[in-house]
Amino acid sequence: QITLKESGPTLVKPTQTLTLTCTFSGFSLSSIGVGVGWIRQPPGKALEWLAVIYWDDDKRYSPSLKSRLTITKDTSKNQVVLTMTNMDPVDTANYYCAHSTATYDQFDIVVAVVATLFDSWGQGTLVTVSS
Amino acid sequence: EIVLTQSPGTLSLSPGERATLSCRASQSVSSNYLAWYQQKPGQAPRLLIYGASSRATGIPDRFSGSGSGTDFTLTISRLEPEDFAVYYCQQYGRSPFTFGPGTKVDVK
C-alpha cells in the first residue's frame, strides 16, 4: 500500500524560504519508472503542478516557478524535499506530494520519460504566507 | 504549455442522472495521456481515469472516459450521492503537466 505524507511549516513570512518534506512508504524511489511530484492548490482554486523528481534523479519544474523551486530526494530515508524561495501571500495553498508512475522509452542504456501519471496522493498540508 | 479548458463550470444534477463533463486541450495530448481526478471537500484528489479511458484501481464502472487528440469526456452513468464533487482533467504527457480549472458536480 502506497502512502505519502507532507510535513513542514504551516505559516511562513513573505520573502522566507519554504521547505516541505514528503515521507512515503510502499514503494522505492530507486525503482525504474517511479517518481514523486508536488502539486499545490490555493484555497477554493484549481490544482497547479510544481515539480517532479524521478528514480534516476532527473527533475522537471513548472516553468513559471522554476527559478524558485528545488526538488531533491533521499532514497535511504524515503523522503522528497521541495524548497520554494521568496514566498509571497499568493503562494498560500495546500501543498500535496504524489507518487508518480512514469512511462518511459529505453534505447540501449538511455531512458527517456514520456509520461508522468500522479496516481497516489498525500493528504496535503496547508501553508499560509503572512507577516 | 498545453492549456486545458473544462466545461461546464458547474453541473447541477440529481442522483441517478447521467453526468457528462468535457475537457478540451489547446493542442493535441500526446498518446492520450489524459487523466481525470475527483476531489471532495477537505480531501486530496483521487485518480479516476488515465490514458483517457482506463479506470484506475477500485474505480466503479459507472465512471468512464473517452476522447482523443484535443477533446475528452468523463461520463458518470448514474450519479451516486458520493459522486458529488469537483472533477479535474490533467495532461501528463508533456511538461508542464497542466490541470484544467475543474467542473463542480452539485445536487440539483
Side-chain angles (χ1 to χ4, degrees), chain A residues 50-128:
Chain A
L50 300 177
V52 63
I53 188 166
Y54 299 102
W55 74 98
D56 59 357
D57 209 38
D58 192 15
K59 302 158 188 177
R60 299 281 187 274
Y61 294 100
S62 168
S64 63
L65 294 166
K66 185 175 183 178
S67 64
R68 299 173 53 204
L69 296 174
T70 303
I71 189 169
T72 60
K73 64 181 175 73
D74 186 330
T75 305
S76 65
K77 292 183 178 178
N78 281 354
Q79 290 182 333
V80 170
V81 174
L82 181 76
T83 60
M84 181 180 293
T85 61
N86 195 25
M87 293 292 285
D88 183 271
V90 300
D91 297 313
T92 294
N94 272 297
Y95 286 77
Y96 297 97
C97 65
H99 170 277
S100 72
T101 298
T103 302
Y104 58 91
D105 287 331
Q106 189 159 8
F107 309 96
D108 196 11
I109 63 169
V110 176
V111 176
V113 172
V114 297
T116 303
L117 177 66
F118 298 101
D119 45 24
S120 295
W121 294 53
Q123 63 190 22
T125 185
L126 177 62
V127 178
T128 302

Side-chain angles (χ1 to χ4, degrees), chain A residues 41 45 49 96 114-116 118 122, chain B residues 37 39 44 88 92-93 95-97:
Chain A
Q41 184 176 38
K45 296 188 177 180
W49 171 74
Y96 297 97
V114 297
T116 303
F118 298 101
Chain B
Y37 298 86
Q39 187 178 34
Y88 294 96
Y92 59 97
S95 179
F97 307 115

